[in-house]
Amino acid sequence: MLDNTTQVRVRYAETDQMGVVYHANYVVWMEVGRVEAMRAAGLNYAAMEEEGVRVAVVGVEVEYRAPARYDDVVNVRARGVEVLSRKMRIEYEVTRASDGTLLATG
């Protein structure tokens, strides 16, 4: 089962004029977390595609709890909670590394 945490530092380009992360960037970070979790489990997207296996995201839900800000380091935990023959469901937790504040779930 997948369960991995990846760190991401908030870049200036990911924020608005007040230094707060734009909401769509959390989904990008979740993708980073998923790819790194799969890599840690010995799975590689490129190798899977060479073998004819395609992975499509069919739904995304994000609940925002607190803002991330420019230069924060965030932990993105990706955890596989359901793996079936044709479907995989992954849950995400994004927390601020410095204080553990839960920023978003997905």
Side-chain angles (χ1 to χ4, degrees):
M1 199 55 96
L2 299 177
D3 193 348
N4 190 66
T5 300
T6 303
Q7 285 197 328
V8 176
R9 182 176 296 276
V10 176
R11 297 169 296 192
Y12 185 76
E14 296 170 318
T15 65
D16 61 20
Q17 290 182 328
M18 297 184 331
V20 174
V21 171
Y22 178 69
H23 71 278
N25 288 300
Y26 290 85
V27 176
V28 174
W29 298 341
M30 290 174 185
E31 178 189 8
V32 170
R34 181 179 68 253
V35 170
E36 292 304 321
M38 291 180 71
R39 183 173 284 122
L43 302 170
N44 179 290
Y45 269 112
M48 289 169 46
E49 288 180 351
E50 287 174 11
E51 295 176 14
V53 176
R54 302 286 189 254
V55 177
V57 175
V58 297
V60 176
E61 291 182 24
V62 181
E63 184 173 329
Y64 302 96
R65 307 278 184 112
R69 299 184 182 278
Y70 171 66
D71 211 32
D72 280 349
V73 174
V74 296
N75 292 321
V76 181
R77 181 182 182 201
R79 185 172 61 93
V81 296
E82 181 180 36
V83 179
L84 304 172
S85 63
R86 303 182 90 163
K87 177 182 171 183
M88 174 172 45
R89 188 165 63 91
I90 300 173
E91 290 183 351
Y92 302 92
E93 289 181 355
V94 181
T95 58
R96 186 176 299 109
S98 63
D99 61 8
T101 299
L102 181 61
L103 305 175
T105 58

